[in-house]
Amino acid sequence: MNTTIATGARVELRDVRIDYDDGPAAEIDLVVEPGEVVILLGPSGCGKSTILRALAGLQPIAAGAARVDGDPHDHPDTKCAMVFQEDALLPWRTARRNVEFALAMRGVLRKRRRAIATGLLDQVGLTGFAEHLPRRLSGGMRQRVQLARTLAAEPRVLLMDEPFGALDAQTRLEMQQLLVSVWLRHRTTILFVTHDVDEALLLGDRVVVLTSRPARAARIVEVARPRRPGAQLEPEFAGQRQEILALLGHSPDLPQS
């Protein structure tokens, strides 16, 4: 049974400017290669989520152009899927039927929907929970269902807006490890928003450190793979961590909270 998603797409943000009523919210020029994981890192309210929303077609672009595999991208479509901090599952549908919803929207037949949904729930570690309603699942488990439902839509780009921000520390680490394993299997392109330096260094191929509003790239930090939890504190990554903390205005002698 094939439950993989399409190869990741190339994403281009060419001199993009996004405005709010009171002025520019973000100004960004960035290219993300197919299958790359790029982290948008910055303080809360700096405009990083606005960049994702513009790429998802949920926020108008005032200037410049967004492209996915060379095609203009200024409205919601199936190439990009957004994962929010809140899971937004349908409370009256079981975990499996929440995943099946994305498949039904693609016109997949019922019998095939069930098989694919079950396979995706297995991939995200929810074997045995397919018939549970969201209220019977923990926050981390609901995020796993959300990830499975997103994969069912077969996006070429995953836009992830602090998806683990509301989880406790242990569950957050588990979800970070899960995302790495899912990425290794599917190799989709991921743009991931966070304000957590350790999360950025664990997940990203590149970390785009953004200034406060308007969000601009102050520095782009390359991060080597492979990594494992805790690698951020090893000598080869410790210097990058200190550099990023300094760019964010933290004392290099203090840990990031």
Side-chain angles (χ1 to χ4, degrees), residues 33-56:
E33 297 299 335
E36 190 177 19
V37 182
V38 169
I39 309 297
L40 301 180
L41 176 72
S44 296
C46 76
K48 54 191 183 294
S49 296
T50 300
I51 296 170
L52 282 200
R53 290 179 61 83
L55 187 54

Side-chain angles (χ1 to χ4, degrees), residues 100-216:
E100 283 188 36
F101 181 77
L103 296 163
M105 297 297 289
R106 290 173 43 216
V108 179
L109 296 177
R110 180 176 297 179
K111 184 176 180 180
R112 179 69 174 155
R113 290 201 303 262
R114 185 183 184 99
I116 293 174
T118 300
L120 286 168
L121 288 170
D122 289 346
Q123 282 186 37
V124 300
L126 288 179
T127 302
F129 293 92
E131 302 309 316
H132 283 53
L133 290 170
R135 67 173 180 270
R136 296 182 59 198
L137 302 174
S138 68
M141 294 169 81
R142 289 195 298 271
Q143 282 291 35
R144 288 170 186 256
V145 177
Q146 178 172 223
L147 181 56
R149 185 176 65 181
T150 304
L151 294 174
E154 295 194 350
R156 302 193 62 201
V157 180
L158 280 179
L159 307 171
M160 309 190 75
D161 190 7
E162 300 198 64
F164 313 142
L167 303 177
D168 63 81
Q170 179 59 39
T171 304
R172 184 170 186 159
L173 178 59
E174 291 171 359
M175 290 301 299
Q176 291 165 352
Q177 293 171 320
L178 173 65
L179 181 61
V180 171
S181 69
V182 167
W183 175 82
L184 287 170
R185 181 179 184 122
H186 296 287
R187 300 289 178 164
T188 190
T189 303
I190 298 177
L191 275 80
F192 188 106
V193 160
T194 185
H195 60 268
D196 185 276
V197 175
D198 289 343
E199 183 168 68
L201 288 172
L202 175 63
L203 298 177
D205 295 304
R206 287 187 294 156
V207 179
V208 181
V209 184
L210 298 172
T211 61
S212 292
R213 187 174 166 187
R216 297 189 183 101

Side-chain angles (χ1 to χ4, degrees), residues 235-252:
E236 60 183 312
F237 296 110
Q240 291 177 321
R241 186 176 189 272
Q242 300 289 60
E243 175 190 2
I244 292 171
L245 285 171
L247 287 167
L248 293 173
H250 295 276
S251 167

